[in-house]
Amino acid sequence: GENVEQHPSTLSVQEGDSAVIKCTYSDSASNYFPWYKQELGKGPQLIIDIRSNVGEKKDQRIAVTLNKTAKHFSLHITETQPEDSAVYFCAASRGNNAGNMLTFGGGTRLMVKP
Amino acid sequence: GAVVSQHPSRVICKSGTSVKIECRSLDFQATTMFWYRQFPKQSLMLMATSNEGSKATYEQGVEKDKFLINHASLTLSTLTVTSAHPEDSSFYICSAPSGPNYGYTFGSGTRLTVV
């Protein structure tokens, strides 16, 4: 089955700096890679996703890059703000059709210091 | 966008009792529902996959007789924790594939505390 590894487990940055979180996956058939933000006591919220037919996607301060050959993908947050502080999870799937489960990375606790 | 409504958000129960958690898809049909468990400071671990009208598929190590899943309609899936014990205390989250634009939609989670 799929195995997703995520690094670092904790990340502390100064407000305004950039934050980068990296994930690797093992299943070459995975083609859907979402990133979730989870605040304390809440369910995960999708912040950005990428499919295997593109190498990069950007949405304002957030970007994701995908290297299918190396089987890794990364989340980039620029101009970080204190409200970005949360736990971030990467995930991989063979696609969000019924029956294709998501496999999660271990999570990264991001702390943005004002 | 797609919404999955999960209830209750928090529940405290006595050891030995059962607790039912509901997840409803509000504006789409969820033929599949994934149930996850998350312990403090850990990632989401898939417990089981339910499909409307058929038996759920459980991950290795998850007791199907303890965690009863029912997916009787395209908009409702339930997880019942039977004979709960303190070690079942955790955060339970459901998720459903919600189409190409929304990926997977997650419920808001249920914090279960067994005392």
Side-chain angles (χ1 to χ4, degrees):
Chain A
E2 175 70 281
N3 181 47
V4 178
E5 299 205 354
Q6 183 172 346
H7 299 280
S9 56
T10 60
L11 178 59
S12 181
V13 300
Q14 207 66 36
E15 182 178 1
D17 288 350
S18 295
V20 180
I21 303 170
K22 299 182 179 181
C23 288
T24 60
Y25 63 98
S26 62
D27 184 358
S28 57
S30 288
N31 58 15
Y32 176 66
F33 308 93
W35 285 89
Y36 294 90
K37 177 182 181 183
Q38 187 179 29
E39 296 177 334
L40 192 64
K42 297 183 180 179
Q45 294 292 315
L46 179 70
I47 55 171
I48 195 167
D49 58 11
I50 191 168
R51 289 173 170 81
S52 59
N53 56 345
V54 297
E56 184 174 356
K57 184 176 178 181
K58 189 173 181 181
D59 183 3
Q60 299 183 350
R61 298 187 296 111
I62 296 172
V64 57
T65 59
L66 171 65
N67 183 327
K68 281 212 75 179
T69 303
K71 295 201 193 78
H72 66 69
F73 56 114
S74 301
L75 177 71
H76 304 253
I77 305 174
T78 59
E79 300 173 31
T80 54
Q81 301 166 2
E83 50 266 38
D84 294 331
S85 297
V87 179
Y88 291 81
F89 291 98
C90 63
S93 160
R94 291 187 174 189
N96 63 324
N97 298 318
N100 288 326
M101 56 175 277
L102 277 171
T103 300
F104 284 86
T108 297
R109 183 171 300 276
L110 174 64
M111 293 168 283
V112 180
K113 299 178 180 178
Chain B
V3 175
V4 171
S5 177
Q6 183 171 350
H7 294 280
S9 58
R10 291 177 176 269
V11 57
I12 301 173
C13 71
K14 291 185 177 180
S15 189
T17 61
S18 296
V19 172
K20 180 186 282 188
I21 301 169
E22 291 189 350
C23 282
R24 293 180 184 274
S25 56
L26 297 187
D27 46 9
F28 68 101
Q29 293 184 331
T31 54
T32 298
M33 190 72 74
F34 299 104
W35 288 92
Y36 294 88
R37 180 167 52 184
Q38 186 178 32
F39 291 108
K41 297 187 179 181
Q42 293 188 23
S43 188
L44 287 78
M45 297 303 295
L46 183 68
M47 297 175 63
T49 302
S50 71
N51 292 292
E52 185 268 335
S54 62
K55 289 184 178 180
T57 304
Y58 291 81
E59 296 300 302
Q60 193 172 8
V62 178
E63 300 174 54
K64 62 180 181 181
D65 294 331
K66 181 170 185 62
F67 299 99
L68 300 179
I69 291 175
N70 184 284
H71 196 151
S73 78
L74 288 172
T75 59
L76 176 63
S77 178
T78 62
L79 166 67
T80 301
V81 183
T82 63
S83 187
H85 289 96
E87 56 265 32
D88 298 323
S89 298
S90 188
F91 194 55
Y92 293 85
I93 310 170
C94 59
S95 171
S98 46
N101 294 327
Y102 305 114
Y104 298 79
T105 298
F106 284 80
S108 53
T110 297
R111 170 74 58 195
L112 171 63
T113 303
V114 184
V115 296

